[in-house]
Amino acid sequence: MTKKRPKNLDLTTIKLPVPGIVSILHRVSGALLFLIGVPLLLITLQSVLGNPSDFQIIQTLYDNFLIKLVLIMILWSFLHHFCAGIRYLLLDMHIGIELAGARLSSMVVLAVSIILTVLFGVKLW
């Protein structure tokens, strides 16, 4: 006999545990790096290596407030993806796979990525 299970499709009411949030943020940060970070890096590198006038244009462009926010977002994406990747490597080696360890390591990933983003973001600003 099959049981009809209730389905909750309202994403605003679903409460994910911290490891689930870190997992989703890992995917989001990877997508941001691939879709925004890599093209931005390549365009910047091409412009900077081109000629001195392009370098001046990039330098004045990166003084813009909104561009700095995008750079900080890309910086957070890199740092979070890096920290979460280390966490997943440790989980693959069966380190911290217990519930308490998984919750602690996911909170550490969130805290470290935010702290490092603030530290590097102050230097960027």
Side-chain angles (χ1 to χ4, degrees):
M1 177 185 254
T2 60
K3 213 186 238 188
K4 281 220 154 222
R5 295 176 61 193
K7 294 179 183 161
N8 182 6
L9 299 177
D10 185 11
L11 295 177
T12 61
T13 61
I14 296 174
K15 184 173 180 342
L16 280 175
V18 179
I21 294 170
V22 169
S23 176
I24 290 173
L25 288 177
H26 183 70
R27 292 182 175 114
V28 168
S29 65
L32 285 174
L33 285 173
F34 180 73
L35 297 174
I36 298 173
V38 171
L40 186 65
L41 176 69
L42 291 176
I43 290 169
T44 303
L45 187 62
Q46 181 182 5
S47 298
V48 167
L49 294 177
N51 58 29
S53 64
D54 289 344
F55 178 73
Q56 291 296 336
I57 291 170
I58 292 294
Q59 197 171 17
T60 57
L61 183 66
Y62 279 7
D63 284 337
N64 186 355
F65 177 76
L66 292 175
I67 299 296
K68 285 186 180 182
L69 285 179
V70 170
L71 290 175
I72 288 176
M73 178 186 67
I74 296 299
L75 177 65
W76 170 83
S77 296
F78 172 74
L79 292 170
H80 179 80
H81 203 75
F82 181 77
C83 293
I86 291 172
R87 176 181 179 262
Y88 291 129
L89 285 174
L90 291 174
L91 289 175
D92 287 343
M93 293 186 297
H94 300 285
I95 298 171
I97 58 173
E98 299 83 23
L99 183 60
R103 284 184 179 159
L104 178 65
S105 67
S106 60
M107 286 184 220
V108 167
V109 164
L110 286 175
V112 167
S113 66
I114 290 172
I115 290 169
L116 287 176
T117 302
V118 168
L119 291 175
F120 289 130
V122 167
K123 184 75 171 168
L124 174 72
W125 210 271

